[in-house]
Amino acid sequence: MTIDTNMQTPDASAQPGASADLTRRQAPASMNVIGTIVSGAGLIAWFAWLSWRTTSFNGNIVNIAILALELVAFAASLVVCAGLAVSRPLRRRDRRATDRDRQLPVLLAEAFGLGAVIDEKPAVRRIGNDDTGEIAWARRGISVLREQRRLDARTRLASDNLRQAAWSVVALDGLRRLCSVIVLLVVLFTGAIPFDIPSTERIALLVGGIGLVSIGNWFSSGGHLRPGARLMWSMASIGAGLGDGISRSGLPIRWVMTMATLVALNIAVALRGMSDRWTHGLQPMERDTRIAAMSIAVGLVVVGGLALRRMPRPELGFYGATGRLEEASVRRLALGLTLAVAAVGFVAGVLPVDVLNAAVVAP
């Protein structure tokens, strides 16, 4: 693996001509320390949440799946924090170009000093004509983590291996997001209650911990890993790494996966809200659990919609999407209708019964 030597901290005993470069890099080093401290505080708060989750654990199969996903997410964040702590990337403004049209694995490859990852991008086309990187990166992440499992603990903690592992877990965020969406759909459709709604203090502990980790990673990465970037990347790359990576629908495969996820979440929210309020076709859910599950689903729909806007349009695919007016209209209609129905279901599932009844009988 090629390591970008520009990421290394210069020696204080360097030649006088390097003093300006040393001054320029001292600020990123201090920001890295601040980011590491903030991330550490967030991980402690997150760990406290997980401690409560394990002590209040029950044998519900959905609860087991959710706890497993939480532990994987915590472990992934821990690896990313460790990788950033040993990398000390330059500040984003010192890097070339803007990151608007560049995907997160490319930015993190720069932050971690893994230049070979970027160099491999042209080879992506061999996996699928419409693969813009997600599938190749996910498969590479799986390969790296599989190889590191054979190493002893001391070798895994080496700087280069930590950087590669951190990049790999981010490349695989789409697979983890797919699993979490599936569990969420199961909860909404079956009405399963995985665990009791925690107190406000415990929820604040989880949200605050994740928020601190996100902010700390922003500082530690020199601006490469912005808050919310991993969440948006996971929705944009959802399911990447599964299957043969070849589209058979005439549309770019990652656009189809994200679009299908949004439609499925919209339908689940709509059916849950309407069922608990009017039709009663699904197993009923308690109001607090229903509101929590539906709110998470709506949040993922919003993030997925933002990710969808940043993706290449379907007519730019390689399998015959023509971009004709009627094709674009059908795509917008499918998402728009499910979103509208989901809005009705969300309102029906969240508002109290007396408020809805007053709205219905009002002239």
Side-chain angles (χ1 to χ4, degrees):
M1 178 62 64
T2 302
I3 302 298
D4 186 355
T5 55
N6 291 329
M7 298 296 178
Q8 299 175 357
T9 303
D11 191 345
S13 62
Q15 296 295 327
S19 58
D21 184 65
L22 174 60
T23 302
R24 182 171 63 90
R25 295 172 191 272
Q26 284 176 343
S30 62
M31 295 299 290
N32 184 274
V33 173
I34 295 175
T36 301
I37 295 174
V38 174
S39 298
L43 289 172
I44 292 174
W46 195 349
F47 182 79
W49 160 268
L50 291 175
S51 299
W52 171 78
R53 287 280 287 115
T54 54
T55 55
S56 60
F57 182 77
N58 61 66
N60 187 304
I61 185 64
V62 177
N63 184 38
I64 295 175
I66 293 177
L67 181 59
L69 288 172
E70 288 184 271
L71 293 174
V72 170
F74 178 81
S77 295
L78 182 62
V79 172
V80 172
C81 291
L84 290 173
V86 301
S87 297
R88 294 189 178 183
L90 296 177
R91 285 174 292 180
R92 190 71 190 95
R93 66 184 184 185
D94 293 331
R95 306 301 296 174
R96 57 183 176 81
T98 177
D99 61 355
R100 178 174 178 79
D101 298 322
R102 306 171 69 212
Q103 299 189 69
L104 184 60
V106 177
L107 298 176
L108 288 184
E110 293 183 355
F112 293 134
L114 306 177
V117 175
I118 303 177
D119 296 339
E120 291 173 9
K121 188 177 180 182
V124 165
R125 300 300 181 188
R126 292 197 299 267
I127 293 180
N129 286 338
D130 62 348
D131 177 20
T132 52
E134 299 82 2
I135 299 171
W137 288 325
R139 291 182 179 179
R140 185 185 186 282
I142 294 173
S143 176
V144 169
L145 295 179
R146 184 183 294 117
E147 292 176 358
Q148 291 199 2
R149 288 183 58 186
R150 305 188 182 99
L151 304 176
D152 57 81
R154 184 175 181 179
T155 306
R156 291 177 188 174
L157 296 178
S159 176
D160 185 37
N161 287 330
L162 276 177
R163 293 172 182 177
Q164 294 187 49
W167 182 91
S168 298
V169 298
V170 174
L172 292 172
D173 276 346
L175 286 177
R176 183 170 54 83
R177 183 62 57 205
L178 176 62
C179 295
S180 64
V181 168
I182 291 175
V183 173
L184 180 58
L185 291 175
V186 170
V187 171
L188 288 172
F189 279 118
T190 64
I193 301 177
F195 54 89
D196 296 333
I197 298 296
S199 63
T200 304
E201 293 78 9
R202 290 196 175 95
I203 295 177
L205 196 65
L206 172 63
V207 175
I210 295 177
L212 286 176
V213 170
S214 181
I215 295 174
N217 288 344
W218 184 31
F219 283 112
S220 298
S221 66
H224 289 76
L225 185 56
R226 297 178 179 177
R230 286 186 62 189
L231 177 59
M232 185 169 295
W233 158 252
S234 68
M235 291 300 295
S237 62
I238 188 165
L242 295 178
D244 56 11
I246 299 176
S247 174
R248 296 175 176 83
S249 64
L251 303 175
I253 193 168
R254 72 179 181 126
W255 190 92
V256 173
M257 287 296 298
T258 302
M259 179 74 172
T261 301
L262 298 185
V263 171
L265 288 172
N266 285 336
I267 293 175
V269 170
L271 292 179
R272 171 49 57 189
M274 294 179 183
S275 174
D276 284 0
R277 187 64 63 193
W278 296 305
T279 64
H280 306 292
L282 301 175
Q283 184 72 20
M285 291 181 68
E286 294 182 0
R287 184 172 184 270
D288 291 342
T289 306
R290 180 176 66 247
I291 293 176
M294 295 173 68
S295 299
I296 294 173
V298 170
L300 290 177
V301 169
V302 172
V303 175
L306 294 175
L308 199 63
R309 288 182 60 87
R310 299 183 62 178
M311 294 181 185
R313 294 184 178 181
E315 54 265 30
L316 300 181
F318 293 83
Y319 288 89
T322 63
R324 293 178 301 177
L325 178 61
E326 57 269 26
E327 290 182 355
S329 300
V330 169
R331 293 193 294 268
R332 296 192 185 103
L333 183 63
L335 184 59
L337 285 178
T338 57
L339 187 60
V341 176
V344 174
F346 182 76
V347 172
V350 170
L351 291 182
V353 177
D354 53 350
V355 175
L356 283 177
N357 290 340
V360 171
V361 299

